Amino acid sequence: KDILFSGDTTGNSIYTTLRMTDPTSNQTITFPDASGTVILSGTSNYATGSIFSTSVSLTIYNSAGVAQKTIVGSST
């Protein structure tokens, strides 16, 4: 199922689609009761100083100890 959002006032046919894949079990995605920006995988966005007081990095490793992903938080 898709949920379509049309947030413009110009009346064009441009939409944002929120799409769910066919689930294999019950899943829950929870958005916090807060304002902010959702960062998607494959983007170069980063968290800002509203989250961190100093710059930080989080590196995620696989079971062989090889770095898979680094997440950078900026204090600026």
Side-chain angles (χ1 to χ4, degrees), residues 7-65:
D8 69 76
T9 57
T10 60
N12 64 23
S13 61
I14 297 174
Y15 297 93
T16 297
T17 303
L18 182 60
R19 176 168 289 155
M20 307 305 155
T21 59
D22 191 14
T24 57
S25 63
N26 291 332
Q27 307 295 332
T28 300
I29 300 171
T30 304
F31 288 97
D33 181 16
S35 294
T37 301
V38 175
I39 299 174
L40 305 174
S41 62
T43 65
S44 60
N45 293 329
Y46 57 90
T48 64
S50 62
I51 298 174
F52 303 105
S53 58
T54 60
S55 295
V56 296
S57 294
L58 170 67
T59 303
I60 301 171
Y61 296 90
N62 66 14
S63 60

